[in-house]
Amino acid sequence: DQQVKQNSPSLSVQEGRISILNCDYTNSMFDYFLWYKKYPAEGPTFLISISSIKDKNEDGRFTVFLNKSAKHLSLHIVPSQPGDSAVYFCAASALPGNRKLIWGLGTSLGVNP
Amino acid sequence: DTAVSQTPKYLVTQMGNDKSIKCEQNLGHDTMYWYKQDSKKFLKIMFSYNNKELIINETVPNRFSPKSPDKAHLNLHINSLELGDSAVYFCASSQGPFVTYEQYFGPGTRLTVT
């Protein structure tokens, strides 16, 4: 039972353009969402997070949007750079306790120079 | 200086063997985790320790036994290895037990059971 779904296994964009990675969730109790980035042969690294009380959070080139009614979040990367090529994981956590992350399968982003 | 390190990086072993994976963090964090990433690339929490106390214990076969000798170390021992145990195992740490604390991951241990 996949509670966090990243339906696009891969995405390819041109350098300088916008990358949009999508994530859908099914559990209405999820109230905290995160994006992690993973390079090959390395562990995931934290990118950005958003609480359900917000609908947008921005950090430099990275912006996460949350649409609670649609149970959908997206990560925007503007402008995309070749170094952004990695697998991006969406993860979510539910009340109560918020101690456990539920992860999506990831989307592999390729940014072409 | 690696923040979260795991040994070994690769582990190839036969069915029925017992093996251990070690994890160390030098970040001074209170909470440590073991995750399993299976062949379908699902990343799933297995265990979490906070101040050496087990706080998350997912539905994992009891052949898997974590051990935290101190706050900086979390080891994973696996008995009677099976083919389905083949996966990448990630260790992680965070300042506290809640997901609002950023988790720092090790590079992973690729376990192959033949």
Side-chain angles (χ1 to χ4, degrees):
Chain A
D1 176 30
Q2 249 183 287
Q3 298 184 66
V4 177
K5 299 177 187 179
Q6 294 178 254
N7 292 319
S8 298
S10 63
L11 177 68
S12 183
V13 299
Q14 283 299 119
E15 181 179 4
R17 305 294 290 267
I18 183 171
S19 296
I20 300 176
L21 295 99
N22 293 305
C23 178
D24 296 295
Y25 61 96
T26 58
N27 188 339
S28 57
M29 296 297 289
F30 285 154
D31 71 335
Y32 193 73
F33 305 88
L34 307 91
W35 286 93
Y36 275 76
K37 179 167 86 170
K38 185 183 179 305
Y39 292 117
E42 294 183 12
T45 54
F46 171 76
L47 198 54
I48 193 167
S49 63
I50 188 166
S51 163
S52 60
I53 62 172
K54 292 185 171 184
D55 53 21
K56 177 182 170 182
N57 190 24
E58 199 170 343
D59 184 2
R61 295 185 298 114
F62 302 91
T63 303
V64 56
F65 295 92
L66 175 63
N67 182 334
K68 289 188 290 291
S69 59
K71 294 194 180 71
H72 177 84
L73 62 155
S74 60
L75 175 69
H76 292 211
I77 307 173
V78 184
S80 301
Q81 299 173 354
D84 296 329
S85 298
V87 176
Y88 289 79
F89 289 97
C90 172
S93 180
L95 289 167
N98 291 84
R99 290 188 172 193
K100 188 169 75 173
L101 287 175
I102 308 298
W103 296 73
L105 271 176
T107 295
S108 178
L109 173 66
V111 180
N112 306 309
Chain B
D1 212 17
T2 309
V4 181
S5 58
Q6 296 178 227
T7 52
K9 201 167 170 71
Y10 299 96
L11 186 51
V12 181
T13 188
Q14 291 185 323
M15 280 175 57
N17 284 349
D18 303 340
K19 290 293 177 188
S20 290
I21 307 172
K22 296 188 175 182
C23 178
E24 177 181 1
Q25 53 97 1
N26 63 7
L27 298 167
H29 288 167
D30 286 341
T31 309
M32 295 186 74
Y33 309 82
W34 277 113
Y35 283 90
K36 178 181 179 182
Q37 187 180 35
D38 61 23
S39 56
K40 293 179 183 172
K41 303 300 181 188
F42 263 119
L43 196 60
K44 201 169 176 194
I45 182 80
M46 299 173 70
F47 304 103
S48 174
Y49 273 76
N50 185 56
N51 284 319
K52 294 169 51 183
E53 180 189 342
L54 183 66
I55 57 169
I56 295 176
N57 185 354
E58 287 295 286
T59 311
V60 175
N62 57 16
R63 299 182 294 103
F64 289 78
S65 51
K67 211 158 260 187
S68 181
D70 55 58
K71 284 199 313 183
H73 296 85
L74 180 62
N75 303 323
L76 183 65
H77 189 76
I78 316 170
N79 288 327
S80 303
L81 277 153
E82 300 179 357
L83 290 176
D85 298 331
S86 295
V88 181
Y89 292 85
F90 288 100
C91 176
S93 73
S94 62
Q95 267 187 294
F98 301 105
V99 298
T100 46
Y101 292 103
E102 180 182 339
Q103 293 183 21
Y104 293 77
F105 283 77
T109 296
R110 183 174 292 276
L111 171 64
T112 304
V113 183
T114 61

